[in-house]
Amino acid sequence: MASRLSTVLMFALVAQLSVLPALTSSKGSNALDSKKYKFLYFASILGGSHYVVMCRSGRALVQQGHRVVSLVGSSNSNRSWQRDADVFSFVVFNSTYTKQNRTDVMDNVSKVILQGHHSDFFGPFLNSANLSGRLSAMDMWLQECDDLLGDSITMERLRKEKFDMLVTDDTAACGPLLAQALDIPFVHNSVFFAIPSKHGHWTGLPIEPSYIPARSTGFTNKMTFPQRVKNVLAHYFYGVVLFRLGMCNFDGYDKLKVKYNIKPEMSTLESYKQALLYFLHGSFAFEFARPMQPNTILVLHHPGVHSNQTLEDDVAQFLDTAPSGVVMFSMGSFVTMMELEQAQMFADAFAMLPHRVLWQSGADFAGLRLGNNTMVAKWLPLTHVMEHPNVRLYVCQGAGLALNEALWAGLPIVGLPLMEDQMDNLVRVEAKGVGLKVDIATMTPRTLSQSIGRVMTDPKFSENARRISDIMRDLETSASPVDTMARWILHLARFGGDHLRPAVQDLNFVQRNLLDVYLFLVVALALVTWINVTVFCFCLRCMCPKGWNKNHLKKE
Ligand SMILES: *[C@@H]1O[C@H](CO)[C@@H](O)[C@H](O)[C@H]1NC(C)=O
Ligand SMILES: *[C@@H]1O[C@H](CO)[C@@H](O)[C@H](O)[C@H]1NC(C)=O
Ligand SMILES: *[C@@H]1O[C@H](CO)[C@@H](O)[C@H](O)[C@H]1NC(C)=O
Ligand SMILES: *[C@@H]1O[C@H](CO)[C@@H](O)[C@H](O)[C@H]1NC(C)=O
Ligand SMILES: *[C@@H]1O[C@H](CO)[C@@H](O)[C@H](O)[C@H]1NC(C)=O
Ligand SMILES: *[C@@H]1O[C@H](CO)[C@@H](O)[C@H](O)[C@H]1NC(C)=O
Ligand SMILES: CC(=O)N[C@H]1CO[C@H](CO)[C@@H](O)[C@@H]1O
């Protein structure tokens, strides 16, 4: 009995740690288990890694006999989604943008963000100023949302399917609108860990500025008094002012709600908060410890489960025959191009190194002069390369997905933050001693090669990275992140999400921050003080004889 109890306790503990409900353990759930559900997957407006990581869980659901339909736009390259053609059904909506238009937009976004400064404190201001008009990714997402909601044939087809749930990416605000238009619940997937100025609002995560740094401040979880003052100011600045700008400017989406009569009385921000559950990406091996909500689930898309890729012969030989180690360089799938001048700066930095450099880039560099230690590859199975014993460092832009993959492989990092969460990720890289941050706007070939050289030669960095890797692996309680996601999605399909959704989601900014309560208390305190003082003065005047003050003063 005691051992039974301890087993149960252990199980409860494990379930707590993994935050995984025991879905199949209770009697009477067989009927629930055997029911098959229909899911709609939608992350194609963002595309790239956002689409790929989200769709992995769909594969697991299909294997269990459920139906998954993936909604893609005509501007998405076929290559990105047709690799799932064996498991998913697809619905393609007509976009205003052609495939070439989408490529142009991403090329131009790359050009702007590669100039740096977009991960600075005022970066989001610059972002919205520079990335506007026909070449703006945000405008493209909004237009494609308009295209989709206005495409009555596609919408009718989707309604007829009677989906049980929408699984969508949180970066563009189209998901909640689509769910409301189809009148189905939805789950949000994020490729980020909790960004205070975003997920704090969207998921109701508690953000205490005493130890949770606001984005792009450069602060860690341990702040001095002046830093805490700045952090509080930044917290309200981002929470109130900046939250309405950049990717959190929902005005266009609010207009779409009116245009297509999709619950126009509920704002897009309120619609976001209707998500049943949020998948955030990351692990506390690398994040600063902080509280989460019951409906925010950490999923680490670690490469352990999907490295079924083989290396090209020339790449394999380049890696195998590198006695002094290899530096891996990739700026991720969002950076689709780089000006030759900047590429040359990287090439010159790499040429100064005594190590080999493997550079992954989809861009064409006609006329680039490479050092004899450097190899450029159009495409690489990155996670596979990271596991190669001769690869000893990862140089990247610091996006969460790439960083976590590198840390899983135990690689130290040199990061050049470009936007969004990347600055904050690299603050943690430095705080945890697993690498260095380099400013892309001011770097020279010499400063970059010096930073790389330092991280390659000082064993402290790789020791720390190895330790993070070990903790990361040990924290993973399910065999695969894909299964974790699939199980949670099924849990919601069976039971809904009300039991997990914190009531903070129904409070507005003033209520949530108790500003009304504090205002009331201050006014009440002021009133009580005023009444006391008035009564005291009144009594004083009554008790003292008339003219006492004057006579008293005259005597003085
Ligand atoms: C891409 O997919 C669309 C829709 O299925 C199809 O019409 C088109 O011919 C495909 N293009 C290529 C290059 O395969
Ligand atoms: C998309 O556009 C093509 C060509 O304009 C048209 O034939 C097709 O019916 C459209 N599809 C939808 C779903 O509206
Ligand atoms: C797409 O590209 C075509 C051809 O370059 C151009 O005429 C059109 O304006 C572009 N559309 C958008 C939405 O950028
Ligand atoms: C970005 O905006 C800043 C200030 O508005 C401007 O100085 C800079 O030239 C812009 N960069 C690009 C690439 O448009
Ligand atoms: C791994 O790759 C092989 C060959 O490409 C393929 O046959 C197999 O199905 C793949 N396995 C998984 C789990 O994707
Ligand atoms: C590569 O270049 C360096 C200096 O640029 C030179 O010292 C070295 O001999 C070269 N190695 C080969 C194999 O050509
Ligand atoms: C403003 C800007 O950079 N525009 C560029 C967008 O991308 C296309 C194609 O790469 C270029 O031709 C434009 O000059």
Side-chain angles (χ1 to χ4, degrees), residues 213-241:
R215 63 181 290 174
S216 305
T217 51
F219 301 152
T220 69
N221 57 344
K222 297 196 176 73
M223 288 173 262
T224 61
F225 175 72
Q227 286 179 337
R228 271 184 291 134
V229 172
K230 284 186 201 158
N231 198 47
V232 168
L233 294 177
H235 172 77
Y236 285 105
F237 176 69
Y238 273 126
V240 182
V241 185

Side-chain angles (χ1 to χ4, degrees), residues 116-124 127 192 195-196 213-220 238 286-288 396-400 403 413 415-431 436-440:
H117 297 310
H118 296 279
S119 60
D120 298 352
F121 190 72
F122 291 107
N127 256 329
F192 305 115
I195 299 177
R215 63 181 290 174
S216 305
T217 51
F219 301 152
T220 69
Y238 273 126
F286 176 57
E287 307 298 335
F288 294 135
C396 62
Q397 86 286 36
L403 270 189
I413 310 284
L416 306 117
L418 300 181
M419 58 172 176
E420 282 298 280
D421 61 333
Q422 296 168 4
M423 169 72 162
D424 302 327
N425 293 341
L426 288 163
V427 166
R428 288 198 303 283
V429 161
E430 291 198 329
L436 294 174
K437 176 172 85 229
V438 174
D439 179 11
I440 196 166

Side-chain angles (χ1 to χ4, degrees), residues 74 91-95 151-155 157:
S74 57
V91 171
V92 183
F93 67 93
N94 279 346
S95 168
D151 182 343
S152 51
I153 302 171
T154 300
M155 290 301 286
R157 204 172 143 197

Side-chain angles (χ1 to χ4, degrees), residues 363-395:
D364 272 315
F365 298 125
L368 185 70
R369 295 180 312 279
L370 286 175
N372 61 12
N373 62 342
T374 309
M375 176 175 185
V376 177
K378 275 245 168 220
W379 182 86
L380 284 175
L382 285 183
T383 56
H384 196 98
V385 173
M386 286 172 184
E387 301 277 354
H388 193 286
N390 283 349
V391 172
R392 301 217 333 249
L393 169 68
Y394 189 44
V395 180

Side-chain angles (χ1 to χ4, degrees), residues 237-257:
F237 176 69
Y238 273 126
V240 182
V241 185
L242 218 50
F243 182 64
R244 305 293 308 161
L245 294 175
M247 291 200 201
C248 297
N249 180 348
F250 295 141
D251 293 349
Y253 293 91
D254 286 338
K255 286 194 188 114
L256 289 187
K257 293 191 81 154

Side-chain angles (χ1 to χ4, degrees), residues 475-486:
L475 278 177
E476 286 300 292
T477 42
S478 93
S480 132
V482 175
D483 292 342
T484 306
M485 273 184 82

Side-chain angles (χ1 to χ4, degrees), residues 289-318:
R290 54 159 300 153
M292 307 299 278
Q293 294 283 17
N295 67 341
T296 46
I297 305 302
L298 275 192
V299 178
L300 183 68
H301 288 280
H302 62 75
V305 282
H306 51 90
S307 53
N308 184 29
Q309 301 150 325
T310 48
L311 293 175
E312 303 277 338
D313 285 346
D314 53 344
V315 175
Q317 201 200 349
F318 184 79

